[in-house]
Amino acid sequence: MLLQQLIQGLAIGSVYGLLALGYVLMWQAWAVLDFARGDAAMMGAFFLLIFNVFLKIHILLAFPLAIAASALTGFIIERLAYRPLVGAREINRLIATIGAGILIRNLYRVMFGADPFPFPTIFGEHPIYIKHLMIVPQNLWITGIGFALAILLRLFLLKTWRGKAMRAAAQDRETAALMGIRVKNSMTLTFVVATVLGGIAGMLIAPLYFVMADMGVLIGLKGFAAAVLGGIESVTGAMVGGIILGIAENLAGGFISSGYQTAIAFALMILVLIFRPSGIMGRRL
Amino acid sequence: MRSLYSKLKIPVMLVVLYGLPFVTQDPYVMHLANMAMIYSILALSLNVLTGFTGQFSVGHAAFYGIGAYTSGLITVKLGWPIWAGFIAAGVIAGLAGLLLGIPTLRLRGLYLAVATLGFGEIVYQILVNWVSLTNGPKGLTGVPSPTIGPWRLDMYHSYYYLSATALIVVVFLVYRLYYSRVGRAMLAIRENELAAEAMGINSTYYKITAFTISSFFAGIAGALYAHEIMFVSPESFVNAESVSILCMMVVGGVGSIPGSIVGAIALTIIPEYLRAVGDWRLVLYGAVIVLMVTYAPQGLGGWITALDHWLAGTGHYRSGRAKKDKVAAEV
């Protein structure tokens, strides 16, 4: 039972982790608490739904297509709602992300209606039994993909020139610009990467939940809690925060009450804020 | 010498405010008017925090909800008089703000926003799940409507006198705070926390004070809401509600008292007008918010101040603040 909850928590946790990575990237590069993160996940799920279910494209092709579509919409959103506010006051930038989120969410509601769409399972939901332990292949796939992406992102940020430029631009815009880094381009790239990561999180979670216009609100908040938990400045922390949140939520659902699942996630977040504000993996303030 | 305009300004506004029920008593219009008053108080309460100290809350609906449920519960379950409900709503919401503020306001930056976001979600979940106290998702029915002497304020248009008066009292208190020593200390923190501390201002103390006052007013607004619709359910205090309060304040203009009121009234009425476009309503609402913060970052408050100066004839008002902000942001 305990191990069961742990495995489930690990899968959902790696999805939270991917979303949390988006928050970390946005916080670093744009210095903003981005309220439209969850809606990026919603859009990703819808793109996969469109390509795979509506247009009946094979899943192996639908995935890259949905990712490309996420990247493109990310680019457009950045131009319309984020780029014009570079240099504006903190609270105005925050409100712009809220406005963008409301706009996107309701645009999808207008296009697809408020009803949830069921999503076919991609990875197989027939459980494998190892003694008493039930393992759903889907959960393993989600965990695997989540971790692989997090590691890829870390390698990208640490090893490639572009990644290093992104980190430099996030750390000190002026100095980075003096070093010949195109700071604005770098910020755009960060936004697109964050949107794609969010989109993939949405695609991974789509078979577990229904796809609907409002799905981004709650998972966006969870991803944010995960980012704070792990440390809003750390890529590794985002993943760790996601896993801890996923497991804590599943344990709370299994042993305390499923009604309080979300409340427990946020209580955990506030406790971390109080006792270790830089997060579990972050440096001490 | 005071001009005619500045002599008549406030009386005219009061006449317009209290005159509304004489023009129409349509329940729909008067309910909207009441909601506009309540949202004005909420936007103002948030402005005490953001406009004065520069911190902000993304979970203000939590204090609004705590106020509504406090007043609802002690009048329904304990049978206390309604004025006691109003006071208790403010006090309990203020206490909740104090308890959340003490640990989180020590930190700089967006941490209060983060904590309030989580707090808002927790309060909502508790309202839904603590069925024995709050009656859960079904909500609390039979919240009584107040009586003043022989008058029973059980119609939307009669209740309006109470909500309009409440708004006036809150506006008065916020103005008093703004020009007090405490208010000045808070403004100093907003402008430059480090410099304020160097001047001997205990920034944590004042930030917590601002947050407590802010949640107190939000609690009062909650009680006002509960007794207006005589029913409270958790759905009125979801995260989206906090977000719309925040939007009202920002669209009105951070730090502008008339701005908060105009912003709240505008964002209460605009969605109603947009009902004609059906589902596109909220799409346009989102677009309006993005356009407002992009192209009018001072909010409606900036225009109101300009208009006020123009009418009073006190020279050409230039938005020097906007330029300063831009320069500061570019540096």
Side-chain angles (χ1 to χ4, degrees):
Chain A
M1 177 70 181
L2 182 70
L3 206 59
Q4 192 81 53
Q5 304 280 4
L6 285 179
I7 292 172
Q8 219 149 31
L10 205 61
I12 194 84
S14 48
V15 173
Y16 292 158
L18 284 183
L19 279 163
L21 285 175
Y23 280 102
V24 171
L25 288 175
M26 287 304 289
W27 186 283
Q28 291 285 307
W30 290 78
V32 69
L33 167 55
D34 185 358
F35 268 82
R37 282 295 88 225
D39 299 297
M42 179 273 290
M43 287 194 294
F46 264 105
F47 286 133
L48 193 62
L49 184 81
I50 292 168
F51 288 124
N52 187 29
V53 179
F54 295 171
L55 299 176
K56 299 198 168 46
I57 296 172
H58 190 268
I59 190 74
L60 284 179
L61 189 60
F63 248 128
L65 278 176
I67 290 171
S70 285
L72 186 66
T73 37
F75 183 73
I76 295 169
I77 293 166
E78 192 258 353
R79 276 300 133 98
L80 294 180
Y82 289 71
R83 173 63 67 88
L85 278 129
V86 173
R89 274 194 283 184
E90 194 174 51
I91 185 160
N92 283 2
R93 282 181 284 138
L94 177 100
I95 298 286
T97 71
I98 291 175
I102 294 175
L103 200 155
I104 297 166
R105 201 174 311 138
N106 289 290
L107 197 62
Y108 273 72
R109 203 204 308 248
V110 171
M111 289 192 294
F112 296 98
D115 296 330
F117 292 90
F119 197 89
T121 170
I122 312 168
F123 309 112
E125 54 187 353
H126 296 294
I128 311 163
Y129 287 92
I130 303 172
K131 284 183 186 165
H132 290 294
L133 192 66
M134 183 179 77
I135 294 174
V136 187
Q138 187 164 265
N139 286 344
L140 293 182
W141 275 103
I142 293 175
T143 315
I145 294 175
F147 271 88
L149 281 172
I151 292 167
L152 274 180
L153 179 73
R154 202 178 145 72
L155 286 177
F156 169 72
L157 287 175
L158 288 180
K159 301 288 177 200
T160 65
W161 189 87
R162 281 246 158 262
K164 283 178 187 167
M166 269 165 69
R167 284 193 301 146
Q171 216 163 54
D172 187 337
R173 259 178 235 176
E174 267 175 61
T175 315
L178 287 174
M179 297 292 153
I181 293 164
R182 296 189 180 184
V183 174
K184 284 199 169 177
N185 287 4
S186 174
M187 286 169 77
T188 309
L189 184 66
T190 318
F191 189 85
V192 171
V193 169
T195 310
V196 168
L197 284 175
I200 295 174
M203 296 172 209
L204 291 178
I205 216 168
L208 300 180
Y209 295 115
F210 288 107
V211 178
M212 57 193 288
D214 283 343
M215 70 184 279
V217 180
L218 194 60
I219 56 173
L221 284 178
K222 299 272 183 66
F224 178 65
V228 174
L229 220 58
I232 195 83
E233 310 210 327
S234 151
V235 170
T236 324
M239 236 26 218
V240 172
I243 302 293
I244 291 175
L245 189 68
I247 289 174
E249 231 184 36
N250 264 285
L251 291 181
F255 295 104
I256 303 171
S257 146
S258 58
Y260 281 111
Q261 239 181 15
T262 316
I264 285 164
F266 286 104
L268 201 63
M269 181 186 94
I270 291 182
L271 284 180
V272 168
L273 267 185
I274 291 170
F275 292 110
R276 210 190 147 84
S278 56
I280 293 166
M281 299 294 283
R283 279 164 286 136
R284 278 177 187 282
L285 282 184
Chain B
M1 196 191 82
R2 281 169 48 140
S3 67
L4 190 66
Y5 164 74
S6 37
K7 268 186 225 158
L8 285 182
K9 192 164 69 173
I10 290 172
V12 167
M13 279 197 280
L14 286 179
V15 167
V16 171
L17 193 65
Y18 281 114
L20 187 64
F22 293 98
V23 180
T24 175
Q25 299 201 335
D26 181 57
Y28 169 72
V29 174
M30 289 319 295
H31 172 63
L32 263 187
N34 281 328
M35 290 314 294
M37 297 299 118
I38 291 167
Y39 280 125
S40 297
I41 295 176
L42 284 169
L44 271 174
S45 77
L46 196 54
N47 220 341
V48 170
L49 183 68
T50 312
F52 286 22
T53 66
Q55 301 274 316
F56 54 95
S57 156
V58 201
H60 232 50
F63 303 107
Y64 178 41
I66 289 173
Y69 267 93
T70 305
S71 189
L73 284 172
I74 69 172
T75 48
V76 172
K77 295 211 168 169
L78 301 179
W80 286 18
I82 286 172
W83 56 265
F86 269 88
I87 295 170
V91 170
I92 301 280
L95 274 179
L98 185 67
L99 287 180
L100 183 67
I102 286 173
T104 47
L105 279 163
R106 287 179 295 121
L107 309 163
R108 279 163 214 271
L110 280 170
Y111 285 102
L112 182 70
V114 172
T116 51
L117 181 70
F119 184 70
E121 202 55 39
I122 292 172
V123 168
Y124 171 71
Q125 297 289 340
I126 290 174
L127 293 180
V128 171
N129 287 301
W130 195 353
V131 179
S132 60
L133 181 74
T134 65
N135 214 12
K138 277 185 288 183
L140 194 67
T141 47
V143 180
S145 46
T147 44
I148 297 175
W151 297 291
R152 211 175 137 72
L153 308 179
D154 56 353
M155 304 289 282
Y156 288 142
H157 64 86
S158 48
Y159 195 87
Y160 175 78
Y161 293 112
L162 179 66
S163 52
T165 310
L167 175 62
I168 290 170
V169 172
V170 171
V171 169
F172 176 73
L173 291 176
V174 173
Y175 264 111
R176 294 291 297 169
L177 180 67
Y178 192 88
Y179 292 109
S180 71
R181 205 181 70 85
V182 177
R184 299 255 187 246
M186 289 171 180
L187 290 175
I189 294 169
R190 182 191 73 182
E191 293 305 323
N192 190 336
E193 193 170 334
L194 219 58
E197 289 209 326
M199 291 301 181
I201 293 168
N202 181 346
S203 73
T204 305
Y205 172 80
Y206 283 107
K207 278 197 241 169
I208 292 172
T209 309
F211 192 54
T212 309
I213 294 172
S214 172
S215 30
F216 175 85
F217 284 145
I220 297 283
L224 211 51
Y225 173 76
H227 296 286
E228 200 252 0
I229 68 164
M230 296 184 248
F231 167 73
V232 272
S233 86
E235 291 314 307
S236 313
F237 311 108
V238 289
N239 198 274
E241 196 75 1
S242 305
V243 167
S244 43
I245 299 167
L246 192 63
C247 289
M248 285 168 184
M249 182 197 63
V250 172
V251 166
V254 174
S256 163
I257 295 171
S260 283
I261 298 168
V262 175
I265 294 173
L267 289 192
T268 311
I269 295 172
I270 289 173
E272 298 298 319
Y273 272 104
L274 289 177
R275 274 186 201 284
V277 293
D279 290 337
W280 285 94
R281 187 168 77 106
L282 287 166
V283 180
L284 291 175
Y285 180 78
V288 165
I289 288 166
V290 174
L291 290 175
M292 272 303 294
V293 291
T294 312
Y295 297 105
Q298 299 299 303
L300 300 169
W303 298 344
I304 295 167
T305 316
L307 183 72
D308 185 50
H309 282 247
W310 182 70
L311 285 172
T314 45
H316 296 286
Y317 176 77
R318 280 206 211 89
S319 175
R321 182 71 201 278
K323 274 182 208 150
K324 225 169 42 189
D325 271 3
K326 212 169 175 189
V327 172
E330 275 162 7
V331 168

